[in-house]
Amino acid sequence: RMRAIRLGLEGEKVVGQYLDRLRADGYHVFHDLIGDAFNIDHVLIGPGGVFTIETKTWSKPARGDARVTYDGNQVLVAGQTPDRDPIAQAASQARWIGSVLLESTGRKLPVQPVVVFPGWYVDAAPGSQHTVWVMEPKGLPAFLSKQAARLSAEDVRLAVFHLSRFIRSGERERAARDEIAVRQRRQRVDRVVEARLARHAQSERRPRPTVPARDAAARYAAGVEEVATDHDIAVRQHRVGPEPRRHVA
């Protein structure tokens, strides 16, 4: 599990480095966008449009054909169907970004979903790269360079501004929720501590019988005459004087 997480983070970092090079071509790059119970690894906004990038960093098999095949509808990884369809996942992310930008800008901007497989050879059938692009990360700049300009400079600035504002707003909301959660946890801890302190103080005020006293009470309850302690005898002698001696005939 930890190895898969580490591998995924390394893959996203490598892809992010590829994408950052596209800034020179007029593209703006956003990393790790938080959506509704999901996240988008990367978003590109530039003359070619808006692009959502989903990174799949999977280990290669020890044996067999280590390649990704794509026919335009389905992806096979080393000849196997993934448990979670990356094509459907990428398309869903693109629709979500499109709806966010439509709501904030009032414009329906073109959004292209992309799935990249770092370190894998991707065999895409001719004509398959239409709905969702599937490729190696290093192939993305070539694809973008062949794209006709779909956004004007004004559209690019508009999309970047509103997506940046959306990200900042989400960060503030998450920070506020985190602060509330931390405050609630602290209040729960304080209540537990106060309850324990109250119980401790109550137990300290309650008189605790000594072991000899408990034993004497037990003997008395059993009908056995309680035997006075040396301290009790000394107190009695001090108050009423010593007991008279008994003479034995």
Side-chain angles (χ1 to χ4, degrees):
R1 174 70 176 177
M2 292 303 299
R3 183 176 182 275
I5 294 176
R6 184 166 56 251
L7 189 64
L9 293 175
E10 291 175 354
E12 291 181 17
K13 181 179 179 181
V14 170
V15 174
Q17 292 173 349
Y18 272 107
L19 299 179
D20 285 336
R21 300 174 187 173
L22 297 172
R23 297 181 189 273
D25 298 327
Y27 282 90
H28 300 261
V29 187
F30 300 87
H31 303 293
D32 196 21
L33 271 72
I34 307 299
D36 300 327
F38 65 91
N39 78 298
I40 302 178
D41 295 334
H42 314 280
V43 174
L44 278 176
I45 300 178
V50 181
F51 302 84
T52 59
I53 316 293
E54 173 63 23
T55 304
K56 295 300 181 185
T57 310
W58 293 337
S59 299
K60 292 183 178 180
R63 297 179 182 179
D65 189 12
R67 70 173 60 197
V68 174
T69 59
Y70 179 50
D71 62 2
N73 297 306
Q74 184 183 26
V75 165
L76 296 179
V77 180
Q80 303 295 321
T81 302
D83 295 335
R84 186 178 181 185
D85 185 5
I87 303 302
Q89 182 183 3
S92 176
Q93 293 174 354
R95 287 193 297 271
W96 182 78
I97 283 291
S99 65
V100 168
L101 292 175
L102 176 61
E103 182 178 357
S104 58
T105 66
R107 299 186 185 183
K108 188 174 182 179
L109 303 175
V111 183
Q112 174 65 50
V114 183
V115 183
V116 294
F117 289 85
W120 286 78
Y121 174 73
V122 178
D123 184 10
S128 61
Q129 306 282 25
H130 53 277
T131 305
V132 178
W133 294 356
V134 178
M135 64 189 68
E136 302 169 71
K138 61 184 179 182
L140 185 57
F143 266 75
L144 293 176
S145 64
K146 297 176 183 178
Q147 287 293 304
R150 304 172 71 185
L151 294 182
S152 65
E154 180 185 355
D155 288 337
V156 170
R157 288 193 297 269
L158 184 68
V160 169
F161 171 79
H162 283 278
L163 187 56
S164 300
R165 188 174 66 174
F166 175 82
I167 293 172
R168 290 193 299 269
S169 175
E171 290 174 346
R172 286 194 296 268
E173 291 178 0
R174 287 189 296 274
R177 287 196 300 266
D178 291 343
E179 184 178 354
I180 293 173
V182 170
R183 188 183 304 118
Q184 290 174 342
R185 284 196 297 268
R186 287 176 178 172
Q187 290 173 350
R188 288 195 297 269
V189 170
D190 290 342
R191 286 195 296 268
V192 171
V193 171
E194 289 174 359
R196 290 182 178 179
L197 290 175
R199 287 197 299 269
H200 178 72
Q202 186 177 4
S203 64
E204 289 295 321
R205 289 193 299 268
R206 186 183 302 118
R208 297 182 179 181
T210 61
V211 173
R214 288 200 302 267
D215 293 344
R219 289 195 298 271
Y220 180 80
V224 180
E225 183 179 359
E226 183 177 0
V227 179
T229 63
D230 293 340
H231 176 71
D232 295 331
I233 295 174
V235 171
R236 186 173 183 276
Q237 289 177 345
H238 175 73
R239 290 178 178 174
V240 302
E243 294 184 356
R245 294 184 180 181
R246 295 180 182 179
H247 296 278
V248 180

